[in-house]
Structure formats: structure tokens, C-alpha cells
Amino acid sequence: MAYQFDWSIIWSEPYFRWLIIGLIKTIEIGLLSWIIALPLGIGIGTLRSLPNKACRAIGAIYVEFFRNIPLLVQLFFWYYAIPPLLGTRISRLPNLEWYCAIFGLGIYTASRVAEHVRSGFNSVPIGQRFAALSTGLSQFQMFRYVIIPYGFRIMIPPLTTEFLTIFKNSALAMTIGILELSGISWRINEYTFHGFEATTAAIGGYLIIGLTIIFLMGQLEKRLRVPGLMRRE
Amino acid sequence: MVDVSVIIENIDLLWGGLLMTFKLFIVALAGGLPLGIFLGLGRLSSRKWIYYPVSAYVHFIRNVPLLMLIFWIYFSLPILTGGLVEPFYAAVVSFIIFEATYFGEIIRAGYQSVSKGTIQAAYSTGLNYWQMARYILIPIALRRVVPSMITQSIVLFQDTSLAYVIGLHEFVRMASLIDNRVIRPLELYGFVAIVFLVICSIGSQIVKRLETKEGERK
Amino acid sequence: MKEETPIIEIKNLSKWYGDFQVLDDITTTINRGECVVICGPSGSGKSTLLRCINGLEDFQKGDVIVDGVSIKEISHTKEIYKLRSRIGMVFQHFELYPHMTALENVTLAPKKVFKIPEKEAEKRGMELLEKVGLREHAHKKPGELSGGQQQRVGIARALAMNADIIMFDEPTSALDPEMIRDVLEVMVDLAKGGMTMLVVTHEMGFAKAVADKIIFMDEGRIIEQEDVETFFKNPKSDRAKEFIDRILVHI
């Protein structure tokens, strides 16, 4: 029995509307978790770059922990295992899965952001520190005016990739019951048995998000470009 | 509050799930690496008819969530074969297609990490292409590639958990099935998390060792 | 005649990296207004010595006294920042801040350490860039400048704090030959203007032209310290002889 393609389901109601709602939810989850991931990741990455050993250890443990457990397991843990421990006020919260997904994705991504931040600071040549200190800048001023602005520019490309990744990873939110883009495509399959068309449409949605971000970040990078910075190793 | 007996009672099932996870990992690695080498070489090719299609493939796959790719393959394989397809094969094909693009980019970066000057120096002493590759290019590039390859393999190992979504009885799905029966999420998912944490930490420690060794050599 | 007031006194300075001794019982004095050239084979500890003088690196034994202040005593206090601002430093690889313009590179420290108002700092910065011949490049970023130009900005940056002393760490060894002269010219002007200079370099032409003293180092030790004439004509040690032969043949 040959498969009968029916691309019209993508455009027909209610599926088209579902797909759009799913796309919006995916964007929301990605953006909201990024709001957690970016500052937290910068904080932890900075901890890992400080001279203080205890700070570095705390940062390292955080990163090791969250990077070495699959995101899926982390989401299950936040959604299924933790709320019952916090009493019924939490475990019966409406939209609990929504908070768990954003929180879980946010703190997971923070560990990845932290790694980019650390390696960004690490790639500032040691001579820059010497130069800054030799003019009499304090340790703090050296960080504030030289290491941070320099390292920040090195970090932009990997952080752009990470920003793209957070939208891709948001697909896992469907496993705890959120009907974002992936969840919707699965749902449409259950209604129509046209999973191929539905998932193709969803993939199209992810590509649109990806291309938009690449375009926007390209503009940002152009604006912040520093001549010669990328040439030096 | 924490009752580990649920783990002990179900250890056989959990072990079975973990074995399935390993099986997925090994098969995906065995398929993904060769395809990755192929893609990496394609991305380095100066022939446009090789370079552009391969690059398009790599960029496309890397912008799709792995979970979506699994769904997509899961739905498209039956169309291609005209019959039912085991979730295991759908998962393995997805992992191979997906991870190969990452392996390919690692290989490309490794190749590009060898400076042009070094290669020219090798040629200038009279080595031919294969000698240059055998004695200069590959040994230098490998040092860069191996740590990244292990890191990516750790990622692949964690990614196998996504086979959960098409109902494959791997480690996480097993824990979730048991949880449906006994409602012990803390112990079950905690256990799964710890097992992944231990295995992947060992891997990342190996990478750290290799990288510090490499750093000392410089 | 130069007056003999010591500005840097290095006393029995020793430093180890782990088991490896990089500096071995260094003792010397540099007087105000002197230009001292430090030379020696690579790995002899010249750059490390400079970094010990302004406290960029710790040392385990001995001390460095700069204008009466012991580096050992202040090295982990805020005092070290004040002291460093009085010792300019120029680096082999320039180490300009790539995200700032030439002018911003020069004015950062005056603005942030001395809290000099923006306008004033810029005026002074432009004067310095003029002095090194780069006024028209003030608003370019380091990546848009040639190596020689970058190094001259580096010198202007070191001068911006009105330092009493300037240390040069192989300032020309990363430069193309045709750019070396521009940089050396600026350095010769400085030396003739009476600046106290400590210069790690292999440019023996520069040494002959303006150095008051040459320090020859090998394996972390000072082997000879002589006035230029004596050093080139009658080096005492075999190692210095060998080194001079090699360098002069090179020229």
C-alpha cells in the first residue's frame, strides 16, 4: 500500500492554526529560558575564570553536573520528581509543565553558556593582562575595560550558536506535555495519520526560527566587529 | 523518604534499558563516524559539486532539532519501505544522519588546524601527498580531533535518550514505564541521572586529561 | 655627565617556576636618566626580569626597590597599581587592546587610574600620538595599523602616564625590518630626552647609539654589566664574546 501524500492538511483548519500556536510557544520557551540561561551562564562562566579556587570549583561542578545528564532526564526530574516534594501548592500549580520546561531548559543551557564564557575569557592573551596592569589599572579595572570587552567579542559567535540551540532543545518540552511545535506535529499525526507532512511543516518552522536568528546575529556581529581580532590566535 | 528498594526490585528492567541505550550508542557511533569522515572530507573538497551539496546537508541537519529528525525519519521510513519500521531502526538512522554532521565538522576543524606553512614545509622536503598526510597532516590533526570526538560521543550517548519519544525501550523509557506503575519518580529519575552522570563524567575526565596533555606539549 | 641617583635597585633577585630557576641572584642598579640595554640568548630570563620590576610576576628571593619602594612589600597591596603607573611597559607583541582605537588605547589608563577628564586626556593622547608620528591614525583600531604603527601606539600608551621609567620587552623583534627603524627612532628620541629606559633588545646599533650600560644575561644570571664601549671591545666572559660574535656577524 503506497502512502498517499496530503500536503493540504498543513493549510487546513484547525491544523494550520495549531502549527502557528506551536511555533509561538516554541519561540516563547526559547526566549524565556534564554533569559535565565544567559545571565546565569555568564555568572558561572565568570566564576570559573576567577583566581579564587572555591569559585572555580563551584562553577566547574555546576557545569559538570548539568552537561553530563541528558536534558530529557533533567526535565523529567524537575517535572515528575521535584514538585511532589514541595507540597500540593506547587504540584497542583496550573501550567506546572510550562514553568518546569523553562526553568529546566534555562539552567541546563546556562551550563553550556558558562563554557563559552570561560573559553572566551581564556582566549584573551595573557599579554593583554600584563599590558593593562603595567599602565597601573587595578585588577578590577583590567577586567572591566580590557578582559570583559575583549572576551565578550570572542564569545558572540559561540553564544549565537547556543541561542539557536536553545530553540532546538525546546522541542524536548513536548515530553512533559507541552504542545509546542514538535508536540503539535505529533498531535496532528494522531488526528490525521499524516505525520510526515506534519513533521515536515514543523521542521520548516524550526528552520524559519534558525534563519531569522542567524540573520539578526549577523547584523550584531557586523556592528561589533573588531579589526584583526579574529586573525590572532 | 527516598526508597532505593524500587531500584533494586526493578534492576533487571533498568539494566535491560541501559543495554538498549548502549546498543543504540554503539550502532549510531559505528555508522555516524564513517559518514562523518565522508562529510568532513566533502566540506574540505575544492570541487564545488561536492562541497555545496554536502554543506547544504550539514547546515540543514544542524538547524533541525534531533527530536524532530527522529519523528521525521520515523514517519518517512515506512513511506520509503512501504511497511512498518521498528522504532530502533528509525532511531539509529536518525542518530547516524544527525551526529555525522557534527563528527564531520570536527574533522574539518582538525584538518584546518594544521597550518598551511607546515604542509608546505612537508612538501618542500620532497614528501608526496600521501606521505605528507601520513606523517604530518593526520598525526597533527588527530591530536585536535580526538578530544572533540570523545566530547561529541558523550553528547551522542546522552542524545540516545531521545529515542524515548518513539517508544523505544531504552534507559529513560524503562524508568518511565516503571514509574507509571510504582510512582517513584525521585528514585527512578534520580538513578537514571546518576548513571548518566557517572558514565559521562568519566568520558569528560578523559577529555580533560587529553587536553592538558596536549596543552603541555605546546 | 648624568647624576648618579639610583631609581631601580635589584638586590639578589631569584625566581623559580616550580623547580626551574629563571632568575639567579640578580643584582644591579639603574640610575635616573640612564638607558640600559639587556641582552642575552632567548630563555635567559630577560623578560621575566622586567616583569618582576613592575610586579607583574612574583619572585621568591631578594627584592626590587623602585624609587625607594620595595616591590616585595607592596606586591599584593593596592600600592603596586600606583607604582606600575610610574613604570611604562612596551611589549614584543604590542598587546594593544584590539577593541579600542589607538587614542582610546593611550587614554584608558590616564582616564581610569588618574581620573583625568575625557577632554584633557584626549588632548594629551593626541600630543603623544603626534610625538610618535601617528596623529592621523588616532581613530583607527589596532587591526587597521601596521606592526610598526601598533608598536608606536604601544610606546605612546606607555608614555601616557608620565612614567619615570619605560621598559621595552623586545620591542622590535616582531616587526618587519622596514618598520624597525621607525620604532627605534622614537626610542632614540626618548633616550636622548633623558627618559630612564630599560630595553631588552638585540638591536646592537641602538645599544651603541644611546645605551649607557649593557647587561648581558644567560641562564638567569647577569654575566656582565659594562658600559657599551667595554662590552663590545673587551667582553670578559666567553659566553658574551660568543654572543657578540654571533650578533655582529648577523649585522
PDB file of all heavy atoms in Angstrom, chain C residues 35-52:
ATOM      1  N   CYS C  35      69.913  54.848  30.085  1.00  0.00           N
ATOM      2  CA  CYS C  35      69.298  53.900  29.167  1.00  0.00           C
ATOM      3  C   CYS C  35      70.107  52.608  29.256  1.00  0.00           C
ATOM      4  O   CYS C  35      71.292  52.588  28.932  1.00  0.00           O
ATOM      5  CB  CYS C  35      69.314  54.442  27.745  1.00  0.00           C
ATOM      6  SG  CYS C  35      68.718  53.252  26.543  1.00  0.00           S
ATOM      7  N   VAL C  36      69.449  51.550  29.750  1.00  0.00           N
ATOM      8  CA  VAL C  36      70.148  50.288  29.962  1.00  0.00           C
ATOM      9  C   VAL C  36      69.611  49.243  28.986  1.00  0.00           C
ATOM     10  O   VAL C  36      68.398  49.051  28.889  1.00  0.00           O
ATOM     11  CB  VAL C  36      69.962  49.795  31.409  1.00  0.00           C
ATOM     12  CG1 VAL C  36      70.607  48.432  31.598  1.00  0.00           C
ATOM     13  CG2 VAL C  36      70.531  50.797  32.380  1.00  0.00           C
ATOM     14  N   VAL C  37      70.521  48.620  28.261  1.00  0.00           N
ATOM     15  CA  VAL C  37      70.097  47.578  27.334  1.00  0.00           C
ATOM     16  C   VAL C  37      70.394  46.215  27.956  1.00  0.00           C
ATOM     17  O   VAL C  37      71.493  45.992  28.467  1.00  0.00           O
ATOM     18  CB  VAL C  37      70.811  47.719  25.976  1.00  0.00           C
ATOM     19  CG1 VAL C  37      70.702  46.424  25.167  1.00  0.00           C
ATOM     20  CG2 VAL C  37      70.218  48.873  25.183  1.00  0.00           C
ATOM     21  N   ILE C  38      69.388  45.349  27.942  1.00  0.00           N
ATOM     22  CA  ILE C  38      69.583  43.994  28.456  1.00  0.00           C
ATOM     23  C   ILE C  38      69.580  43.051  27.258  1.00  0.00           C
ATOM     24  O   ILE C  38      68.644  43.065  26.454  1.00  0.00           O
ATOM     25  CB  ILE C  38      68.461  43.583  29.426  1.00  0.00           C
ATOM     26  CG1 ILE C  38      68.333  44.626  30.540  1.00  0.00           C
ATOM     27  CG2 ILE C  38      68.729  42.202  30.018  1.00  0.00           C
ATOM     28  CD1 ILE C  38      67.168  44.381  31.484  1.00  0.00           C
ATOM     29  N   CYS C  39      70.642  42.247  27.118  1.00  0.00           N
ATOM     30  CA  CYS C  39      70.643  41.294  26.014  1.00  0.00           C
ATOM     31  C   CYS C  39      71.071  39.927  26.521  1.00  0.00           C
ATOM     32  O   CYS C  39      71.441  39.760  27.682  1.00  0.00           O
ATOM     33  CB  CYS C  39      71.548  41.779  24.889  1.00  0.00           C
ATOM     34  SG  CYS C  39      73.263  41.971  25.395  1.00  0.00           S
ATOM     35  N   GLY C  40      71.012  38.975  25.631  1.00  0.00           N
ATOM     36  CA  GLY C  40      71.338  37.609  26.020  1.00  0.00           C
ATOM     37  C   GLY C  40      70.504  36.647  25.225  1.00  0.00           C
ATOM     38  O   GLY C  40      69.517  37.044  24.601  1.00  0.00           O
ATOM     39  N   PRO C  41      70.904  35.374  25.226  1.00  0.00           N
ATOM     40  CA  PRO C  41      70.163  34.396  24.438  1.00  0.00           C
ATOM     41  C   PRO C  41      68.724  34.247  24.921  1.00  0.00           C
ATOM     42  O   PRO C  41      68.426  34.621  26.057  1.00  0.00           O
ATOM     43  CB  PRO C  41      70.941  33.086  24.656  1.00  0.00           C
ATOM     44  CG  PRO C  41      71.955  33.352  25.697  1.00  0.00           C
ATOM     45  CD  PRO C  41      72.043  34.799  25.942  1.00  0.00           C
ATOM     46  N   SER C  42      67.853  33.710  24.069  1.00  0.00           N
ATOM     47  CA  SER C  42      66.458  33.577  24.482  1.00  0.00           C
ATOM     48  C   SER C  42      66.367  32.569  25.623  1.00  0.00           C
ATOM     49  O   SER C  42      67.137  31.623  25.701  1.00  0.00           O
ATOM     50  CB  SER C  42      65.585  33.145  23.307  1.00  0.00           C
ATOM     51  OG  SER C  42      66.003  31.894  22.850  1.00  0.00           O
ATOM     52  N   GLY C  43      65.438  32.825  26.520  1.00  0.00           N
ATOM     53  CA  GLY C  43      65.293  31.958  27.682  1.00  0.00           C
ATOM     54  C   GLY C  43      66.253  32.297  28.798  1.00  0.00           C
ATOM     55  O   GLY C  43      66.381  31.555  29.768  1.00  0.00           O
ATOM     56  N   SER C  44      66.939  33.446  28.681  1.00  0.00           N
ATOM     57  CA  SER C  44      67.909  33.775  29.724  1.00  0.00           C
ATOM     58  C   SER C  44      67.279  34.538  30.881  1.00  0.00           C
ATOM     59  O   SER C  44      67.944  34.857  31.843  1.00  0.00           O
ATOM     60  CB  SER C  44      69.070  34.568  29.130  1.00  0.00           C
ATOM     61  OG  SER C  44      68.574  35.713  28.474  1.00  0.00           O
ATOM     62  N   GLY C  45      65.975  34.843  30.780  1.00  0.00           N
ATOM     63  CA  GLY C  45      65.288  35.466  31.903  1.00  0.00           C
ATOM     64  C   GLY C  45      65.107  36.967  31.790  1.00  0.00           C
ATOM     65  O   GLY C  45      64.663  37.616  32.735  1.00  0.00           O
ATOM     66  N   LYS C  46      65.414  37.526  30.590  1.00  0.00           N
ATOM     67  CA  LYS C  46      65.344  38.984  30.433  1.00  0.00           C
ATOM     68  C   LYS C  46      63.923  39.514  30.638  1.00  0.00           C
ATOM     69  O   LYS C  46      63.702  40.451  31.406  1.00  0.00           O
ATOM     70  CB  LYS C  46      65.816  39.380  29.020  1.00  0.00           C
ATOM     71  CG  LYS C  46      67.247  38.992  28.720  1.00  0.00           C
ATOM     72  CD  LYS C  46      67.497  39.000  27.218  1.00  0.00           C
ATOM     73  CE  LYS C  46      66.658  37.942  26.555  1.00  0.00           C
ATOM     74  NZ  LYS C  46      66.863  37.633  25.186  1.00  0.00           N
ATOM     75  N   SER C  47      62.967  38.907  29.939  1.00  0.00           N
ATOM     76  CA  SER C  47      61.584  39.392  30.032  1.00  0.00           C
ATOM     77  C   SER C  47      61.035  39.193  31.433  1.00  0.00           C
ATOM     78  O   SER C  47      60.306  40.043  31.957  1.00  0.00           O
ATOM     79  CB  SER C  47      60.692  38.652  29.039  1.00  0.00           C
ATOM     80  OG  SER C  47      61.197  38.799  27.745  1.00  0.00           O
ATOM     81  N   THR C  48      61.381  38.053  32.031  1.00  0.00           N
ATOM     82  CA  THR C  48      60.913  37.787  33.390  1.00  0.00           C
ATOM     83  C   THR C  48      61.436  38.853  34.349  1.00  0.00           C
ATOM     84  O   THR C  48      60.709  39.329  35.228  1.00  0.00           O
ATOM     85  CB  THR C  48      61.394  36.397  33.843  1.00  0.00           C
ATOM     86  OG1 THR C  48      61.081  35.460  32.824  1.00  0.00           O
ATOM     87  CG2 THR C  48      60.736  35.985  35.126  1.00  0.00           C
ATOM     88  N   LEU C  49      62.680  39.262  34.147  1.00  0.00           N
ATOM     89  CA  LEU C  49      63.269  40.298  35.000  1.00  0.00           C
ATOM     90  C   LEU C  49      62.442  41.579  34.910  1.00  0.00           C
ATOM     91  O   LEU C  49      62.095  42.177  35.932  1.00  0.00           O
ATOM     92  CB  LEU C  49      64.725  40.553  34.573  1.00  0.00           C
ATOM     93  CG  LEU C  49      65.455  41.642  35.345  1.00  0.00           C
ATOM     94  CD1 LEU C  49      65.554  41.293  36.813  1.00  0.00           C
ATOM     95  CD2 LEU C  49      66.844  41.889  34.768  1.00  0.00           C
ATOM     96  N   LEU C  50      62.083  41.971  33.691  1.00  0.00           N
ATOM     97  CA  LEU C  50      61.264  43.175  33.538  1.00  0.00           C
ATOM     98  C   LEU C  50      59.950  43.034  34.288  1.00  0.00           C
ATOM     99  O   LEU C  50      59.502  43.952  34.974  1.00  0.00           O
ATOM    100  CB  LEU C  50      60.959  43.451  32.051  1.00  0.00           C
ATOM    101  CG  LEU C  50      62.101  43.851  31.116  1.00  0.00           C
ATOM    102  CD1 LEU C  50      61.533  44.384  29.814  1.00  0.00           C
ATOM    103  CD2 LEU C  50      62.993  44.900  31.754  1.00  0.00           C
ATOM    104  N   ARG C  51      59.326  41.848  34.151  1.00  0.00           N
ATOM    105  CA  ARG C  51      58.012  41.686  34.777  1.00  0.00           C
ATOM    106  C   ARG C  51      58.102  41.626  36.299  1.00  0.00           C
ATOM    107  O   ARG C  51      57.114  41.878  36.981  1.00  0.00           O
ATOM    108  CB  ARG C  51      57.316  40.442  34.212  1.00  0.00           C
ATOM    109  CG  ARG C  51      56.871  40.644  32.758  1.00  0.00           C
ATOM    110  CD  ARG C  51      55.761  39.698  32.377  1.00  0.00           C
ATOM    111  NE  ARG C  51      56.218  38.326  32.317  1.00  0.00           N
ATOM    112  CZ  ARG C  51      56.635  37.737  31.202  1.00  0.00           C
ATOM    113  NH1 ARG C  51      56.636  38.392  30.068  1.00  0.00           N
ATOM    114  NH2 ARG C  51      57.030  36.498  31.231  1.00  0.00           N
ATOM    115  N   CYS C  52      59.265  41.290  36.822  1.00  0.00           N
ATOM    116  CA  CYS C  52      59.434  41.337  38.276  1.00  0.00           C
ATOM    117  C   CYS C  52      59.563  42.773  38.758  1.00  0.00           C
ATOM    118  O   CYS C  52      59.140  43.124  39.851  1.00  0.00           O
ATOM    119  CB  CYS C  52      60.670  40.544  38.709  1.00  0.00           C
ATOM    120  SG  CYS C  52      60.439  38.767  38.605  1.00  0.00           S
TER     121      CYS C  52
END
